[in-house]
Amino acid sequence: MGVERISLLGVVVLVAVVMGGVWVQAKEAAAGREAPWRMHTLFSVECQNYFDWQTVGLMHSYRKSQQPGPITRLLSCTEQEKKTYRGMELAPTFEVPSMSRHPRTDDWYPAINKPAGVVHWLKHSKEAQNVDWVVILDADMIIRGPIIPWELGAEKGRPVAAYYGYLIGCDNDLAKLHTKHPELCDKVGGLLAMHIDDLRALAPVWLSKTEEQREDKAHWGTNYTGDIYGTGWISEMHGYSFGAAEVGLRHKINDNLMIYPGYTPREGIEPILMHYGLPFSVGNWSFSKLEHHEDDIVYDCGRLFPEPPYPREVKGMETDPNQRRALFLNLECINTLNEGLLLQHTANGCPKPKWSKYLSFLKSKTFAELSQPRLVTPKSVQMMEVEHMQTQEKHVGNPGKPYPKIHTIFSTECSPYFDWQTVGLVHSFHLSGQPGNITRLLSCKEEDLKQYKGHDLATTHYVPSMSRHPLTGDWYPAINKPAAVLHWLNHAKIDAEYIVILDADMIMRGPITPWEFNASLGRPVSTPYDYLIGCDNELAKMHTRHPDACNKVGGVIIMHINDLRRFALLWLHKTEEVRADTAHWSRNITGDVYEAGWISEMYGYSFGAAELNLRHIISNEILIYPGYVPAPGVKYRVFHYGLEFRVGNWSFDKANWRNFDFVNKCWAKFPDPPDPSTLDHTEENALQRDLFSIECGNTLNEALRLHHEKKKCPDPTSISSPIRENLDSISLSPPNQETAREVTTSRKFGKIEEISASRHSPDLKNESRESSLPAMANETFTAMRFWIIGLWAFSIFVFATVISVMLSGRKGQRKRGKSFKTKRRSSHSGFRDLNGNDSHLRSAEIA
């Protein structure tokens, strides 16, 4: 017991020495950077486990990054909460009265503690009297390098801040209602670096404007605030922007210094701050702070967040240097959190944790080098307005200018149905020669995200699901498309000038570029959706002021980023409008054969674009549906397999594969289309139509094959014959058959029976509409199960036989007489020794 205490004491002393050394280094480094000004870092939290583990991560990164000057946690707690609170020693703390429940209005809004805490600190803290510059951060951040206001370009009257593009209230009537200077309203937040005099002027107005916003419930709507939930949750952020405008502060806005893990940093940019406010992933590993809302991990000795992949594994995941760099940032964020927890557990007096490969990595030279303090690069400190001016100068009046940057996006949900579509689209994107990057906008509920296995299928931006509308309760998954685009615009760092928007059920055959199809600012390009007859009747007159500008378009969209930023919110708003207008869902008004409002999102797009008078260039040469006869000589860039198509007796309908998990079942694929050599060559139109259909089916199967290879599925040629036959059968029967056969094992008769299962086949056919009401595909891997069960039964039989032989031997020994007693004992002793030696050998072999 004494040895254990001495050992534990030694560990605590060692950690104290190490942490003391870090403090000394930080102070020495800070001494050189502080002169001639004094600075202070602030962050605001509440008395909760949720904020405690964030505090541990931020404090550890503060020490590790050698951030100059002191840091203070503004801790907002009620008196009742303080009685049971365990985390007073986690950081230098200034206690602040809690305003989570507003003392005057009784409004429950914990975010107001941030401005209230700053006001209280300025008024009552002695430290606030001895500072020139203040850096304000959020608790859910990791500091990567020193954040020094004057080195970032901050001046008195000109604070530096990160860009929060989703604060659209700065651009509309909300700003006019809440500040006398709406023209000064800046969409900023997250990272704030300002002079103490500016903060003294701003803080009380920041608080009062937040209170104003919370009380102005009439303007909580998404179209005013940009908050897709419309609950006033970002009132504090607007309160900051309106307060800064009110006191005349103009920010230097920087979109490079802070990054969300999961996003790709721009080339040449070194972010010095990570904000893990959104879910992020590496391969099939993922992290979301909301999953740890009640987590007492700070006080649970030895427990860390789930370990992510190791750097050497990540190197094999991604070949693109920038994308790989983004994955390394994800690792750095979670590993820094876990390193902080490890040190905190030791400081808490926890016993030394057991050795593990991951703990060894956190203490390794490799991780120390990967997470060493970063310094800003010249590009990192460029402000947005400067960058914007340079971009304009580069492109205006320059006929030899380079082509503009492009980014391709598509929207999906957390389901097997969208996963196999994602595999197909991303595969075809890489083959098509499309410039720029592609991003999947993944809309998921938190509980679905926990179970989701497809994080590594594409570069992904995670979006809160709006399938069930948060205000109306309406179930309409298609609304996720405009909601996701809006979320991406407001949260992602986008350096592209043009955005190409596709659907997941598409296969790219070639590049889709604005210069080839003549897209420009104010003139997006799209493909014809002639069934949107609502553009020609009273529906358009009811939902847009410019029905004459309503274009029947969709599918593929090429739009300038500035148009998309103005348009995205209207797209969402008009979708909600049409969805709520149930009186006009009928087929004669909308063209929807199901009369269920299912194409409301498509009308939302057309009506929103008309509202802004965006006139589309409509091209018939971008998209074709497999099964349609192609126009001679046209090089179509996209297959849109939204409708059933067939070649002879073979057919494909995406809706029949809604619940089949092609992505996670090794070597699963669709039924192979016919060999092109078997086609009838006498009729040219039919031949070209069928060749396109075959190309689409083969591309999907090739994408799945490469995906399974990447997953390192077992080589099908090395698998035993019966199982290989079963794998071959994973290319299932054509889904348009009236019946599908499921092979099952009959225990009673020990034979294989064939059981017919009815398959739904919709009667309604509409060549101008995508299949909306899917049939379910129920296919099983029964042959594999049969052989596994057989193997299992054989193993039991062998085991039983061996046991029986051993027992019969023992009975024989018991029948011997007493004259064999001595011999029996010596023999038994030898048997025991032999088993002991053998167990050591087996242990060594396993090790």
Side-chain angles (χ1 to χ4, degrees), residues 64-80:
K64 194 168 184 173
S65 66
Q66 301 176 7
Q67 171 74 354
I71 187 170
T72 295
R73 172 179 64 161
L74 306 179
L75 182 64
S76 302
C77 295
T78 64
E79 290 301 320
Q80 190 63 33

Side-chain angles (χ1 to χ4, degrees), residues 91-360:
T93 299
F94 185 79
E95 294 183 39
V96 178
S98 174
M99 276 189 67
S100 295
R101 178 73 65 188
H102 198 283
R104 176 174 55 84
T105 65
D106 203 41
D107 176 40
W108 175 257
Y109 183 59
I112 201 171
N113 285 311
K114 186 174 181 179
V118 172
V119 169
H120 195 83
W121 179 77
L122 288 169
K123 187 175 182 180
H124 298 285
S125 170
K126 293 180 181 179
E127 289 180 314
Q129 311 305 317
N130 190 34
V131 64
D132 301 304
W133 294 92
V134 178
V135 173
I136 302 176
L137 304 176
D138 287 336
D140 57 344
M141 290 179 171
I142 296 294
I143 307 172
R144 303 185 71 233
I147 304 169
I148 305 171
W150 54 91
E151 289 187 5
L152 301 182
E155 306 170 60
K156 190 173 180 179
R158 295 296 309 276
V160 168
Y163 181 58
Y164 269 14
Y166 54 86
L167 298 178
I168 62 171
C170 279
D171 302 327
N172 59 40
D173 290 342
L174 200 63
K176 296 174 184 176
L177 286 165
H178 292 284
T179 173
K180 293 176 289 187
H181 305 290
E183 73 282 359
L184 298 183
C185 187
D186 292 324
K187 294 183 278 189
V188 294
L191 163 63
L192 304 169
M194 69 176 63
H195 195 275
I196 187 68
D197 292 345
D198 293 334
L199 186 60
R200 289 189 187 283
L202 165 66
V205 189
W206 179 7
L207 176 58
S208 65
K209 292 296 177 184
T210 299
E211 292 172 316
E212 270 186 29
Q213 272 287 285
R214 280 300 291 178
E215 293 174 21
D216 185 11
K217 295 183 180 180
H219 295 93
W220 279 4
T222 307
N223 56 320
Y224 285 109
T225 64
D227 177 4
I228 62 172
Y229 297 111
T231 57
W233 201 250
I234 59 175
S235 298
E236 173 272 316
M237 300 178 190
H238 276 116
Y240 176 89
S241 293
F242 297 156
E246 197 75 356
V247 298
L249 294 179
R250 289 308 304 262
H251 293 81
K252 293 184 176 182
I253 305 174
N254 189 299
D255 203 21
N256 299 321
L257 297 171
M258 184 181 83
I259 192 169
Y260 287 88
Y263 291 176
T264 304
R266 298 186 180 102
E267 196 172 342
I269 301 298
E270 189 63 78
I272 58 172
L273 188 65
M274 289 189 283
H275 188 185
Y276 55 90
L278 300 172
F280 59 96
S281 65
V282 179
N284 283 326
W285 175 93
S286 66
F287 179 83
S288 172
K289 70 171 187 176
L290 295 179
E291 292 178 7
H292 301 276
H293 209 280
E294 305 296 331
D295 201 331
D296 66 345
I297 195 168
V298 171
Y299 311 104
D300 190 353
C301 288
R303 185 164 66 88
L304 306 178
F305 292 117
E307 66 180 73
Y310 293 93
R312 65 174 179 275
E313 297 172 305
V314 170
K315 287 178 182 177
M317 289 180 186
E318 185 59 64
T319 55
D320 180 80
N322 258 359
Q323 298 288 346
R324 186 188 294 169
R325 190 165 156 238
L327 294 179
F328 275 110
L329 283 171
N330 296 355
L331 296 185
E332 183 183 334
C333 180
I334 191 64
N335 286 332
T336 303
L337 277 169
N338 276 338
E339 186 182 33
L341 286 169
L342 192 63
L343 291 171
Q344 187 60 48
H345 289 163
T346 306
N348 289 350
C350 292
K352 185 178 179 180
K354 293 180 181 178
W355 182 92
S356 72
K357 181 181 176 183
Y358 183 54
L359 291 185
S360 179

Side-chain angles (χ1 to χ4, degrees), residues 385-586:
E385 55 257 25
V386 176
E387 205 171 289
H388 179 66
M389 286 167 56
Q390 287 174 343
T391 303
Q392 285 194 333
E393 289 169 4
K394 181 178 177 181
H395 291 295
V396 173
N398 182 5
K401 67 183 180 183
Y403 287 132
K405 287 187 177 181
I406 304 173
H407 199 110
T408 304
I409 59 175
F410 66 104
S411 172
T412 70
E413 298 159 40
C414 284
S415 71
Y417 181 59
F418 282 106
D419 282 357
W420 62 255
Q421 293 177 38
T422 296
V423 168
L425 177 56
V426 172
H427 167 70
S428 67
F429 171 87
H430 291 302
L431 295 178
S432 69
Q434 175 73 352
N437 297 317
I438 187 168
T439 296
R440 170 179 63 164
L441 311 180
L442 184 63
S443 302
C444 292
K445 295 184 294 186
E446 282 295 326
E447 55 267 31
D448 292 337
L449 203 58
K450 292 176 184 177
Q451 309 297 326
Y452 184 61
K453 299 178 182 178
H455 296 286
D456 60 343
L457 298 181
T459 301
T460 301
H461 175 84
Y462 295 88
V463 182
S465 174
M466 276 189 68
S467 295
R468 179 75 64 191
H469 198 285
L471 298 181
T472 66
D474 178 40
W475 176 256
Y476 183 56
I479 201 172
N480 284 313
K481 185 175 181 180
V485 171
L486 181 63
H487 193 278
W488 178 70
L489 289 170
N490 288 335
H491 291 85
K493 296 180 184 297
I494 306 164
D495 62 354
E497 190 175 342
Y498 282 90
I499 309 300
V500 175
I501 304 176
L502 304 177
D503 287 338
D505 58 343
M506 290 181 173
I507 295 293
M508 294 187 69
R509 306 181 68 244
I512 305 166
T513 60
W515 51 87
E516 184 173 358
F517 294 101
N518 300 314
S520 60
L521 184 62
R523 289 284 279 166
V525 170
S526 192
T527 53
Y529 267 17
D530 292 331
Y531 53 85
L532 296 178
I533 61 173
C535 276
D536 301 327
N537 58 39
E538 63 266 32
L539 197 65
K541 295 174 184 176
M542 294 177 66
H543 291 286
T544 174
R545 294 170 298 174
H546 306 291
D548 56 307
C550 186
N551 297 141
K552 294 182 280 187
V553 294
V556 176
I557 299 158
I558 311 171
M559 187 176 287
H560 194 281
I561 186 67
N562 291 348
D563 289 334
L564 190 59
R565 289 193 187 281
R566 291 191 304 135
F567 162 69
L569 183 61
L570 271 172
W571 183 5
L572 175 61
H573 182 54
K574 291 296 178 183
T575 299
E576 291 173 315
E577 264 189 29
V578 179
R579 187 68 189 162
D581 186 10
T582 55
H584 295 91
W585 280 2
S586 61

